[in-house]
Amino acid sequence: MSKKDFYELLGISRTSSNKEIKRAYKRLAMKYHPDRNKKKNAEKYFKEIKEAYEILIDEKKRSTYDQYGHDAFNQSYINNDNLNTETSFSDIFGDVFGDIFGDNSNQNINKGSDLKYNIELSLEEIIKGVNKKINIQTLIKCNYCNGKGAKKGSLPTICLTCNGNGQIQIKRGFFTLQQTCPNCNGLGKIIKNICNKCNGNGRIKKFKSFSIKIPKNLKTGDNIRVSGEGEAGKRGGISGDLYIQIKVKDHFIFKRENNNLYCEIPIPFYIAILGGIIKIPTLEGLMNLKIPSETQTGKIFRIKGRGIKSVNNKFKGDLLCKIIIETPINLNEKQKNILYNFKESLNNKYIYKNTPKINIFNKNIEKFYKNLNN
């Protein structure tokens, strides 16, 4: 079953501003939050609108979604079942007025940082898809304290200032605002005996290796998001994400622009004059291309549907072949005599009938000097 369009889910247009996206999300989140709405499908719908909001509120993710649809994020290891549904009413309500009083939410204060990894791929790897091994330095959970930041045999104590919430509430007339607890810096716990291995941070630096599946038909500048493979969260917080940025290497035959492929095809001068059939490379194998007689160098032939598929497989680009006429070299005497006789066969009086571009060029030279001397 296909996913519903994110814009339709939030009931907004594709030109909606971030403010309109936030407003639509808040309205629906308050209505369908599982703590408030006990209907059977309320939680499922809440997850869907939360996913839609998280994609559309991010400028880069929104641009990717607008271009590739759901398929781009299916490849990015996003799963509705893994979305955080523990959004409380106070979080939603606080966000509604965040633009007025400032955003004091510390919901993700312990979350690990996202990481970026640049990877270069050949055109062949992009076309067929490939598994790549990633080796990256990151912060992982400290195995001595299990990410808690306290020495073995010692446990963090609950911060009495915020009662372990990491936030304190301050009344401002009708509103109750939340701020980061100054005593525990939003962590909710106080560590007296810190772990010597991680200095109480709950994380240590280490190289981590794993394999990642690169989907087909990506292009330079595309990103793959791998959830939870960024830095480990501080003192047991959730891990960040890993963003793999794609760069496609220059190719020895093809040049790619969007989903179109370009290549230069050298042909002998006699085929350019007389016409003929040549073999050209495509992604599906060699194919015949008919060259009409009197073809000029620089002529471009477009072969429909022989380019690269879009990520969502809804569109396939074209192959554009630019003809380059090659002048023969290393001729023997017999071959030179044939060409000499060909030259002599041209009637000098009507030579420009055979070479109209030369004729136009010579006339333009005459015009240039005439204008220059007037």
Side-chain angles (χ1 to χ4, degrees):
M1 184 176 176
S2 60
K3 279 187 177 182
K4 192 173 181 181
D5 182 82
F6 284 160
Y7 292 97
E8 290 181 19
L9 269 172
L10 297 181
I12 56 175
S13 71
R14 291 187 172 272
T15 58
S16 295
S17 65
N18 275 10
K19 189 174 182 180
E20 290 170 323
I21 293 171
K22 282 184 179 181
R23 189 183 296 122
Y25 167 65
K26 308 297 177 6
R27 175 175 53 81
L28 292 170
M30 292 289 287
K31 182 177 180 181
Y32 291 101
H33 194 286
D35 287 347
R36 183 176 183 182
N37 192 324
K38 301 302 181 183
K39 289 184 180 179
K40 185 177 180 181
N41 292 325
E43 184 174 356
K44 178 178 178 293
Y45 189 67
F46 178 75
K47 289 179 181 179
E48 290 175 351
I49 61 174
K50 191 168 191 295
E51 180 188 15
Y53 169 73
E54 289 176 348
I55 296 298
L56 298 184
I57 203 65
D58 184 293
E59 186 176 340
K60 184 174 281 189
K61 292 178 186 177
R62 183 178 180 180
S63 176
T64 302
Y65 176 75
D66 288 344
Q67 188 172 3
Y68 300 117
H70 293 299
D71 289 333
F73 294 95
N74 288 342
Q75 294 291 351
S76 302
Y77 305 91
I78 296 176
N79 187 320
N80 272 349
D81 294 335
N82 294 327
L83 285 173
N84 176 23
T85 60
E86 299 301 319
T87 306
S88 67
F89 287 122
S90 60
D91 294 328
I92 297 169
F93 184 80
D95 261 350
V96 171
F97 299 98
D99 294 335
I100 302 173
F101 297 101
D103 184 8
N104 295 309
S105 172
N106 294 290
Q107 189 177 4
N108 295 319
I109 195 167
N110 291 352
K111 182 181 178 181
S113 298
D114 294 335
L115 295 178
K116 180 180 175 183
Y117 184 88
N118 297 320
I119 188 168
E120 282 194 332
L121 301 169
S122 68
L123 182 64
E124 291 85 351
E125 289 174 323
I126 285 295
I127 291 166
K128 64 186 180 181
V130 68
N131 288 318
K132 282 289 185 179
K133 188 174 182 180
I134 303 296
N135 188 29
I136 191 168
Q137 189 180 44
T138 183
L139 289 171
I140 66 169
K141 185 164 67 173
C142 175
N143 56 346
Y144 285 84
C145 65
N146 199 29
K148 292 183 172 62
K151 281 184 178 180
K152 283 186 178 180
S154 157
L155 292 174
T157 58
I158 294 175
C159 175
L160 298 179
T161 304
C162 63
N163 292 320
N165 292 320
Q167 295 178 334
I168 57 174
Q169 294 186 343
I170 300 175
K171 287 190 175 182
R172 291 284 186 272
F174 176 74
F175 301 107
T176 299
L177 304 181
Q178 291 183 332
Q179 289 186 351
T180 302
C181 175
N183 188 39
C184 65
N185 294 318
L187 298 175
K189 295 179 181 179
I190 303 294
I191 298 177
K192 294 182 179 179
N193 299 311
I194 64 171
C195 171
N196 294 329
K197 185 70 176 178
C198 64
N199 292 320
N201 191 36
R203 305 175 297 178
I204 55 174
K205 274 190 177 181
K206 192 173 182 180
F207 277 95
K208 184 167 64 172
S209 297
F210 55 93
S211 290
I212 179 72
K213 183 178 180 181
I214 307 293
K216 297 178 183 179
N217 306 325
L218 297 180
K219 64 180 184 299
T220 294
D222 283 344
N223 287 282
I224 299 174
R225 178 168 73 95
V226 189
S227 297
E229 291 295 349
E231 290 184 353
K234 194 174 182 181
R235 294 181 184 173
I238 62 174
S239 297
D241 299 330
L242 171 64
Y243 289 86
I244 299 174
Q245 187 165 61
I246 303 296
K247 182 181 179 183
V248 184
K249 301 175 187 176
D250 291 338
H251 198 260
F252 47 88
I253 292 179
F254 297 107
K255 180 182 177 182
R256 179 180 180 181
E257 289 186 13
N258 296 320
N259 292 321
N260 292 331
L261 288 176
Y262 293 78
C263 68
E264 293 186 348
I265 307 291
I267 66 171
F269 79 103
Y270 59 84
I271 288 184
I273 295 170
L274 303 174
I277 304 293
I278 64 170
K279 298 282 187 182
I280 62 167
T282 74
L283 302 185
E284 292 79 20
L286 293 173
M287 69 170 286
N288 291 332
L289 178 64
K290 184 179 179 180
I291 304 296
S293 61
E294 302 178 0
T295 293
Q296 301 296 310
T297 194
K299 170 72 176 176
I300 294 177
F301 292 90
R302 180 185 290 267
I303 298 93
K304 288 280 188 182
R306 292 287 184 163
I308 293 179
K309 283 185 179 180
S310 61
V311 173
N312 56 17
N313 290 326
K314 292 180 180 177
F315 173 78
K316 195 170 185 182
D318 302 330
L319 172 63
L320 293 97
C321 299
K322 182 179 180 180
I323 297 299
I324 305 296
I325 299 172
E326 185 173 22
T327 302
I329 61 173
N330 300 322
L331 299 178
N332 57 36
E333 288 303 315
K334 181 178 178 181
Q335 292 166 332
K336 289 179 181 179
N337 285 332
I338 291 172
L339 290 176
Y340 182 79
N341 291 331
F342 169 73
K343 174 194 168 188
E344 292 298 311
S345 72
L346 298 174
N347 189 323
N348 287 332
K349 186 177 180 181
Y350 301 105
I351 189 171
Y352 292 133
K353 180 181 178 182
N354 304 112
T355 56
K357 288 185 178 179
I358 295 175
N359 185 32
I360 293 171
F361 181 70
N362 287 338
K363 286 183 177 180
N364 285 335
I365 291 175
E366 291 177 10
K367 183 179 178 181
F368 168 70
Y369 285 116
K370 184 178 178 181
N371 293 339
L372 196 62
N373 293 325
N374 282 342

